[in-house]
Structures are given as structure tokens and as C-alpha cells.
Amino acid sequence: MPDLRSELGVAPPPARYRILCPPGWRRVSPEELIGEEATSRFRAEAARAGRTDLLRELDTMLDSARTALRTHGVTEVYVAPSDEEGVRPPATLSVAPLALPAGTTLEQALARIARGRPVIELEGARERLHVIEHERRHGDADELVERTLLAIAPVPASDDRRAIVLTFTALGATRGGSAGAAEAEEEDAIETLLDIGRIMLVTFRWSPS
């Protein structure tokens, strides 16, 4: 969501925190992520299907993501492990600081970021996490699916003026809205990735100073 937080400001990392990742997940720098491809599985499947249009759409999305990494001061990114063929699931968790401008309350910021979407409290989380879930579809037939969990964690003792933004993004390719078994399987795969993201967000903790 590179366009939704741009007017809210970016600040240096506001506090220490920790996130427990599933086995094999690792933390990388934004620069390393830009140099790698987190979407090799999707690329391979699209290439086998002869869908060069989806590959072009993916490249456009990746360019936007690289711009967002720089614009929002992303400090680190977590990526999934590769399988035996060296292919990684198309999912990432990024972390960035957020500073509210003078005169803007947290509630106002959340409303502006959500743009009408529900803002929920993550079930099972021990820290305050305001979560916004959204889906975007790309391609001529809306076949490239991008689903995101955006979690805003206000920094303790900051009077809700500072926060950390955790963004879990999963990609998938559908069959243009068909209701067949392959379509259902792909939707299940995306939802499984999002479940992993929810588990990771639940483990978020602020660390002692």
C-alpha cells in the first residue's frame, strides 16, 4: 500500500521488538530483497502457462514494491525458505516505522490508511495491533492476486505518536475467476500463507529498552 501512508510520515526505528518466525524464515535487508526474487514459484508457473502478461504485471508490481521500500523507510524484511528446487513461496513480512504528523490522532491515521476497510484487533496478540486486510487483483482478467495484512503497532509510552508497521503480503494466480478445483486450490494456498502471516504477527513483542 505505498500510497496510503505517504502523507503520514516516516521516522527512525522507534523501539526494539521481536518476531518469532516459522522454521526456515529469515530476516534480510531491504536491499537484499530487491536483489532477490521472492516470486520464483509464481514466475515458473506463469512461464509454463505461457502467461507473459502476468509476468509483465508482476514486474510492474515489483517496481512499485521497490519504490515503497525506499519511500517508507523499511528496515527489514522476512522471507520464507526455499524448497528443494530453490523456489520460495511468494510471501514476505516487512517492517517500517511510522510517525504521525502534528494534529493527527492514531484513529484518524488508521481511518486514512484503511480507506473504508475494517480495522480489527488481532485475536491472540499480546501487544496492540490494529490490522487492516485487503486484496488487490491485477492483470487483464484479475488473475494476479495480492493479499495483504497491514498491522500498526503503536509504540508504548509514545502517546500513540509513533508506531511500527508490519506488512505481510502473499501473492497468487487464479484462473480468471473460474470456480474449478485449480481455482479453489490456489485460493487455499494464498489463505495458508496469510495464516502464517497472522501467526507471525501474533508473536510480535516489544522488547525491554
Side-chain angles (χ1 to χ4, degrees):
M1 299 174 70
D3 57 332
L4 300 187
R5 301 199 307 270
S6 57
E7 62 189 79
L8 295 178
V10 173
R16 294 181 179 178
Y17 56 88
R18 62 186 178 89
I19 301 171
L20 299 180
C21 297
W25 281 69
R26 62 190 179 93
R27 183 175 62 186
V28 301
S29 68
E31 293 77 15
E32 184 176 349
L33 181 69
I34 292 173
E36 293 183 349
E37 287 297 348
T39 55
S40 53
R41 183 187 300 276
F42 176 82
R43 285 186 179 280
E45 292 178 356
R48 281 195 295 268
R51 295 304 308 273
T52 57
D53 57 324
L54 290 181
L55 292 175
R56 289 194 298 270
E57 190 70 31
L58 178 61
D59 287 335
T60 299
M61 289 174 56
L62 289 176
D63 286 341
S64 297
R66 293 183 180 99
T67 299
L69 288 175
R70 299 185 181 97
T71 301
H72 298 300
V74 171
T75 56
E76 56 193 22
V77 181
Y78 297 83
V79 297
S82 302
D83 61 17
E84 61 276 4
E85 297 178 355
V87 177
R88 287 197 284 116
T92 58
L93 175 67
S94 65
V95 183
L98 178 67
L100 272 61
T104 299
T105 67
L106 178 62
E107 290 72 21
Q108 291 170 335
L110 290 173
R112 288 158 65 178
I113 293 172
R115 293 192 174 183
R117 300 181 182 91
V119 181
I120 65 171
E121 299 293 326
L122 186 63
E123 183 178 355
R126 291 176 54 185
E127 307 289 357
R128 289 173 59 199
L129 285 176
H130 305 279
V131 179
I132 302 161
E133 183 171 352
H134 71 100
E135 176 181 302
R136 298 174 63 186
R137 290 180 176 260
H138 309 266
D140 294 339
D142 291 337
E143 293 171 286
L144 181 56
V145 182
E146 175 189 8
R147 293 184 62 185
T148 299
L149 302 171
L150 186 72
I152 293 90
V155 176
S158 73
D159 295 327
D160 288 348
R161 308 304 306 163
R162 295 181 296 158
I164 281 180
V165 181
L166 304 106
T167 305
F168 187 92
T169 301
L171 296 176
T174 67
R175 272 56 176 183
S178 63
E183 174 78 4
E185 182 179 347
E186 184 62 32
E187 293 288 352
D188 288 344
I190 299 174
E191 189 61 37
T192 297
L193 291 174
L194 288 178
D195 285 340
I196 293 174
R198 295 183 184 100
I199 293 172
M200 293 171 70
L201 292 176
V202 166
T203 70
F204 176 83
R205 300 286 187 275
W206 294 111
S207 300
S209 300

